[in-house]
Amino acid sequence: MKLILTSEGFRENPDKLIFEMIRLSNKKVDDIKMTLFSISYSELHEYYLNKNINLLVSLWIKRDNIKMVNICKMCPDNVLSNLDVMYMCGGNTFEVLHYLQTNWFIRYIKEFIEKWWVYFWHSAGSQILGMDIGIAAAGVNWDVNEIWLKDTAWLWYLDYAIWSHYVDEDQSQISKFQKEYKYNFITLKDNESIIIDGNHIKFIY
């Protein structure tokens, strides 16, 4: 399992994160093939998607090596073909999980992770690899569960929950959730990331 989990993607510590992506993929940066998975049904979504693409190109990822997949549509059968890095863009955590569930992306995410390719997700994407995304509705930078998603448990690849966009004011909420749900949390401030390579975990600040 090779994971890069962040709150702000490449917008924070870009040089360190691109180094880790190159190391985990074991490829030259020119050869890395990446697919961006994103919610895309508005001009604002398109704006942030293009912003992410431009940032990747500025970090020497070739534009021709970047594909885009809209998770609001059914997952294409060839979604994992010719792919080294799966990059899930952010968004409303409940919406992201809903579209991944209903449009059949789950089986491909599991297959991708189990093949030891590199999974780079930020914000909502980091949270859904944990034990439950219900925590996304709490804290200072909270998401609204506008779609009334009931099944908020996810893949359980991590035996803890990820608290993205953490600020010090969130600590009382975290203590409350720890008592209620009986599992641990890893907090990620906007300038922090976790690198998971098998059983080895490294934090980037």
Side-chain angles (χ1 to χ4, degrees), residues 154-168:
W154 187 230
L155 294 178
W156 288 58
Y157 273 100
L158 308 175
D159 56 0
Y160 43 82
I162 301 292
W163 192 292
S164 298
H165 305 294
Y166 170 79
V167 293
D168 292 340

Side-chain angles (χ1 to χ4, degrees), residues 76-127:
D77 290 336
N78 64 345
V79 69
L80 297 185
S81 64
N82 202 22
L83 176 61
D84 303 307
V85 177
M86 176 183 285
Y87 183 172
M88 171 57 73
C89 301
N92 181 289
T93 309
F94 299 100
E95 273 195 320
V96 170
L97 180 53
H98 167 71
Y99 286 121
L100 292 176
Q101 288 173 333
T102 57
N103 291 333
W104 296 93
F105 283 89
I106 293 176
R107 58 177 175 167
Y108 293 105
I109 292 172
K110 290 181 177 179
E111 180 182 346
F112 188 88
I113 292 174
E114 288 163 5
K115 284 186 175 179
W116 285 73
W117 292 329
V118 182
Y119 174 103
F120 185 110
W121 283 34
H122 79 254
S123 190
S126 296
Q127 288 181 303

Side-chain angles (χ1 to χ4, degrees), residues 171-197:
Q171 189 55 51
S172 60
Q173 289 272 14
I174 290 176
S175 299
K176 177 183 176 182
F177 274 100
Q178 283 177 322
K179 290 179 181 178
E180 183 175 351
Y181 292 100
K182 309 299 182 186
Y183 50 72
N184 293 320
F185 292 83
I186 285 185
T187 61
L188 284 178
K189 294 183 177 180
D190 283 353
N191 65 334
E192 296 177 340
S193 305
I194 309 172
I195 312 298
I196 301 174
D197 186 1

Side-chain angles (χ1 to χ4, degrees), residues 122-156:
H122 79 254
S123 190
S126 296
Q127 288 181 303
I128 65 174
L129 276 189
M131 301 177 73
D132 197 288
I133 68 159
I135 60 171
V140 173
N141 299 299
W142 54 283
D143 283 342
V144 179
N145 188 0
E146 294 177 336
I147 57 173
W148 295 93
L149 185 69
K150 294 180 179 179
D151 181 10
T152 58
W154 187 230
L155 294 178
W156 288 58

